[in-house]
């Protein structure tokens, strides 16, 4: 299912709500808690991505879709180095007149294997990355349940995306999610998400950009801020626990074994 655009968070959550049963109740509580605890804007240009990379609908697991908040700007100049021929024609003909970029991506982490999925989609900005030292990078990684949709794709500097701090952080968030899910449900991580009374890891990723006239710089993140939390069920809904080891800007000192340290501190909060 392709990503769908919304301007109302209430409409978005209603559109994907499961019908009846325990998973519907969990979905509603999760949505309510995410809005209040993560201070999510309720009226904004946003995209809902409900499909995991293996084709499973997140809503059928009882969790909301990944939500991508978008920013747009009117295209005032066309540097032919920024776009491929096809995209240039769309802009010159007036078929398209604006650029888009993801500002914030929020979703429940679903640890999973990605398999042989081929090349990532083009970024939502449609920027041509050839000869720029940039890669097509997922904001929320596929291996933690991020969507393989262009709204979740940004130009990323190759060192960040392939082997640098961005990539390292993704692996640690996945490892932490597996520790939480397997310990609390006794099931493999991906299947544990379907259990209605298990704790869930939620990621909130904000992107910073340089607001310049350069289309490349406007579309390419210069800063990434991760906030990682655990939504732990209680009799009235969810208790939200911070995970400071996995909540930081990428210019912070990363260190080793973040996932294990985060899990130990999480257990202390549960006592």
């Amino acid at each position: 299912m392709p990503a769908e655009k919304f301007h109302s968070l209430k409409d978005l959550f209603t559109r994907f709500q499961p019908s009846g049963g325990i998973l519907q109740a969990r979905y509603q509580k999760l949505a309510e808690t995410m809005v209040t605890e993560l201070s999510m804007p309720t009226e904004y240009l946003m995209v809902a991505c409900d499909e995991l990379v293996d084709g499973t609908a997140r809503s059928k697991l009882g969790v909301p879709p990944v939500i991508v908040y978008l920013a747009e700007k009117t295209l005032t100049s066309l540097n032919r180095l920024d776009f491929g021929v096809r995209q240039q024609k769309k802009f010159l003909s007036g078929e398209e007149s604006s650029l888009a970029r993801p500002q914030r991506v929020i979703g429940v982490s679903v640890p999973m294997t990605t398999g042989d999925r081929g090349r990532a989609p083009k970024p939502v900005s449609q920027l041509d990355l050839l000869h720029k030292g940039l890669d097509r990078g997922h904001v929320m990684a596929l291996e933690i349940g991020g969507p393989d949709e262009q709204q979740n794709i940004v130009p990323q500097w190759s060192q960040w995306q392939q082997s640098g701090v961005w990539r390292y952080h993704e692996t640690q968030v996945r490892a932490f999610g597996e520790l939480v899910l397997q310990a609390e449900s006794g099931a493999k991580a991906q299947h544990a998400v379907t259990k209605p009374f298990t704790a869930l890891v939620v990621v909130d990723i904000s992107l910073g950009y340089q607001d310049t006239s350069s289309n490349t710089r406007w579309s390419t993140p210069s800063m990434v801020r991760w906030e990682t939390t655990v939504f732990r069920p209680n009799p009235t809904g969810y208790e939200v626990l911070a995970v400071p080891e996995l909540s930081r800007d990428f210019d912070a000192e990363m260190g080793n074994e973040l996932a294990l340290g985060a899990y130990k501190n999480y257990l202390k909060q549960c006592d």
Side-chain angles (χ1 to χ4, degrees):
M1 176 186 294
E4 296 184 36
K5 281 190 177 182
F6 294 85
H7 287 87
S8 164
L9 196 56
K10 180 179 178 181
D11 292 346
L12 185 157
F13 282 135
T14 301
R15 163 71 178 83
F16 293 96
Q17 180 175 282
S19 56
I22 294 177
L23 288 183
Q24 180 188 22
R26 180 177 80 163
Y27 178 100
Q28 292 173 333
K29 284 293 184 183
L30 269 173
E32 293 170 4
T33 308
M34 288 171 70
V35 172
T36 56
E37 293 292 333
L38 303 181
S39 301
M40 296 176 66
T42 56
E43 302 290 332
Y44 207 92
L45 174 60
M46 63 195 88
V47 169
C49 303
D50 193 44
E51 194 170 280
L52 296 169
V53 69
D54 65 358
T56 302
R58 298 171 65 93
S59 53
K60 291 189 180 299
L61 304 178
V63 299
V66 171
I67 298 167
V68 182
Y69 287 93
L70 294 173
E72 291 185 323
K73 80 163 185 174
T74 301
L75 189 67
T76 56
S77 64
L78 183 64
N79 182 341
R80 285 172 169 75
L81 294 177
D82 287 344
F83 304 101
V85 173
R86 185 178 302 176
Q87 197 64 25
Q88 290 177 34
K89 290 180 178 178
K90 287 184 178 181
F91 286 129
L92 292 172
S93 68
E95 183 180 343
E96 292 185 8
S97 59
S98 63
L99 294 180
R101 68 188 184 193
Q103 292 289 120
R104 191 177 176 190
V105 179
I106 300 171
V108 174
S109 175
V110 183
M112 59 188 306
T113 56
T114 59
D116 185 12
R117 57 179 172 82
R119 195 177 185 191
K122 283 186 175 181
V124 67
S125 66
Q126 300 298 317
L127 195 71
D128 185 2
L129 308 186
L130 189 64
H131 307 311
K132 287 188 170 68
L134 297 167
D135 290 330
R136 303 175 182 183
H138 295 83
V139 180
M140 182 177 178
L142 297 179
E143 64 190 282
I144 59 172
D148 201 25
E149 300 281 355
Q150 65 174 3
Q151 291 83 3
N152 187 44
I153 303 292
V154 291
Q156 291 183 14
W157 300 110
S158 301
Q159 186 177 7
W160 255 15
Q161 201 268 340
Q162 293 179 1
S163 59
V165 291
W166 187 314
R167 175 61 187 148
Y168 176 71
H169 202 76
E170 292 171 344
T171 63
Q172 294 300 289
V173 171
R174 173 181 174 164
F176 174 70
E178 289 176 335
L179 288 167
V180 171
L181 288 167
Q182 291 175 0
E184 301 208 3
S185 71
K188 289 185 177 180
Q190 190 172 349
H191 301 295
V193 174
T194 62
K195 296 184 178 296
F197 302 111
T198 191
L200 297 170
V201 176
V202 176
V203 297
D204 181 358
I205 307 166
S206 299
L207 304 170
Y209 298 86
Q210 297 180 25
D211 286 321
T212 71
S213 59
S214 164
N215 296 325
T216 297
R217 291 182 181 178
W218 188 89
S219 306
T220 304
S222 57
M223 184 277 289
V224 184
R225 172 168 293 165
W226 279 70
E227 297 290 339
T228 305
T229 52
V230 178
F231 281 44
R232 201 160 190 263
N234 61 31
T236 59
Y238 284 92
E239 175 189 15
V240 179
L241 303 178
V243 186
E245 296 85 353
L246 298 176
S247 302
R248 58 184 65 203
D249 298 348
F250 278 129
D251 58 358
E253 184 68 29
M254 294 303 293
N256 293 320
E257 304 297 338
L258 282 181
L260 186 56
Y263 185 62
K264 288 179 179 178
N265 282 338
Y266 163 67
L267 291 178
K268 291 178 182 177
Q269 294 185 69
C270 295
D271 290 341

